[in-house]
Amino acid sequence: MASIAVIGLGNMGGPMAANLARAGLVVHGFDLVAELREAAAGNGVVVAACATAAAGAADIVLTMLPAGRDVLGVWGEAIPAAKPDALFIDCSTIDVESARQAHAMASTAAIRSLDAPVSGGTAGAKAATLTFMCGGEASAFDAAKPILEKMGRKIVHCGGPGAGQAAKICNNMILGATMIVTAEAFVLAERLGLSHQALFDVAANSSGQSWSLTVNCPVPGLVPTSAANRDYKPGFAASLMLKDLKLAQDAASACGASTPLGSAAAQLYGLYNAWGEGGADFSGIIHLIRGTAEGRETWRGSAPKT
Ligand code: NAD
């Protein structure tokens, strides 16, 4: 059975490593945080002294880290220590440019690599139902697929190096913009005297339909899976939505793409985060649109927290 190193044992990497150990793989894990290393050990992970030691002991090296600079830092140290036929997979959500740099670093050392960001959140990580969006050579994808299948349900090869990250930020730009406009539609309906149920019954069965409406509806009581039913406990946190929208804006600027709605979505989630709501589910943006967030008058008039 192949051995795998998982570097970054946080909200996502922790349960992903646990699922790999449960599937019978030898999992070498490392995180900078001692409590997370201890928790991983309790889930069958062999804790390494550092990221490089974990990487050197494994056939496959998987990183699940906050940002591009973290991935480039860990890959930069781990690649020289890796086995010659190792496969590197980065599942973090990072900027396309850093993802391509990481691939180039691996390629220079004749190491196969894949960018494979995920959707499905912490619930998907725990239940092994993630979707993986992969970028890299077909041979790297073919080698990674059986491993990714132990943590996810849908594994998509999107194209060459960086294509997985590109798919992730394009998807989440759609998600952020549709959530905002869905929230706007419910607020407009309220002002027009149209019930939430009536709007839902029409839009969910016609051309206004989207995941933001039928799976994570921003008003409570219409869809059992909505974070709105749990007082907007995430789910997918507004801070992570802002991160992804900023990555999309950075990528759009770098390649000269016009994304006016993506830009507006990034600004609105920036304002919502500045209100101190980054820990809420991203569907909570309806409070900002409605202007009735507790202690605030209207989002147009209120000053964001600094
Ligand atoms: P997290 O902050 O819980 O975990 C990241 C972990 O990486 C931390 O525990 C941190 O200590 C560790 N780390 C940082 N630098 C390190 C280093 N040099 N060596 C070892 N460990 C290091 O974040 P998360 O929620 O698990 O997210 C991880 C990635 O997955 C992010 O890129 C995020 O955008 C993406 N993502 C998260 C979700 C979600 O719902 N949480 C969903 C999809 C994608």
Side-chain angles (χ1 to χ4, degrees):
M1 181 57 80
S3 60
I4 184 161
V6 179
I7 299 164
L9 300 166
N11 292 323
M12 297 294 287
M16 289 163 74
N19 282 329
L20 291 167
R22 205 169 295 126
L25 274 83
V26 177
V27 183
H28 301 273
F30 181 73
D31 194 288
L32 296 175
V33 178
E35 295 81 49
L36 295 175
R37 297 196 297 268
E38 280 161 28
N43 288 324
V45 172
V46 182
V47 173
C50 62
T52 308
D59 303 310
I60 297 162
V61 178
L62 186 152
T63 44
M64 195 50 165
L65 299 166
R69 64 180 172 278
D70 305 309
V71 175
L72 290 173
V74 167
W75 281 39
E77 288 178 10
I79 287 172
K83 295 183 180 182
D85 56 351
L87 168 66
F88 273 56
I89 307 172
D90 178 46
C91 294
S92 328
T93 302
I94 65 171
D95 59 290
V96 176
E97 186 48 39
S98 294
R100 289 183 179 150
Q101 280 179 35
H103 277 283
M105 217 186 261
S107 168
T108 303
I111 297 273
R112 292 168 300 164
S113 59
L114 204 68
D115 55 291
V118 303
S119 73
T122 51
K126 284 182 194 137
T129 55
L130 294 169
T131 294
F132 287 87
M133 298 151 243
C134 305
E137 301 299 329
S139 60
F141 177 76
D142 293 343
K145 195 165 180 258
I147 301 296
L148 301 181
E149 280 169 346
K150 299 186 188 310
M151 299 175 283
R153 215 178 253 164
K154 189 143 184 66
I155 324 293
V156 184
H157 190 200
C158 300
Q165 297 294 349
K168 168 83 184 175
I169 57 172
C170 287
N171 178 75
N172 281 19
M173 190 173 75
I174 296 171
L175 179 62
T178 56
M179 180 54 81
I180 291 168
V181 79
T182 302
E184 287 179 1
F186 276 104
V187 172
L188 176 60
E190 288 164 7
R191 301 283 156 91
L192 294 173
L194 177 67
S195 73
H196 290 164
Q197 188 70 57
L199 173 60
F200 181 84
D201 288 347
V202 171
N205 292 292
S206 57
S207 45
Q209 193 274 338
S210 74
W211 189 94
S212 295
L213 178 70
T214 59
V215 180
N216 199 28
C217 187
V219 298
L222 296 174
V223 175
T225 44
S226 282
N229 301 337
R230 310 184 299 268
D231 197 22
Y232 300 89
K233 189 170 169 287
F236 185 52
S239 59
L240 289 172
M241 173 52 82
L242 178 61
K243 172 190 171 179
D244 293 357
L245 289 169
K246 282 181 173 171
L247 290 175
Q249 286 308 292
D250 290 347
S253 301
C255 70
S258 170
T259 56
L261 280 181
S263 169
Q267 286 174 34
L268 285 169
Y269 275 102
L271 183 53
Y272 188 55
N273 274 261
W275 269 9
E277 300 293 331
D281 187 76
F282 78 113
S283 59
I285 193 99
I286 193 165
H287 297 305
L288 185 143
I289 302 297
R290 194 187 277 128
T292 56
E294 215 175 47
R296 299 175 186 111
E297 287 170 273
T298 69
W299 73 269
R300 286 175 198 281
S302 70
K305 282 181 190 168
T306 51

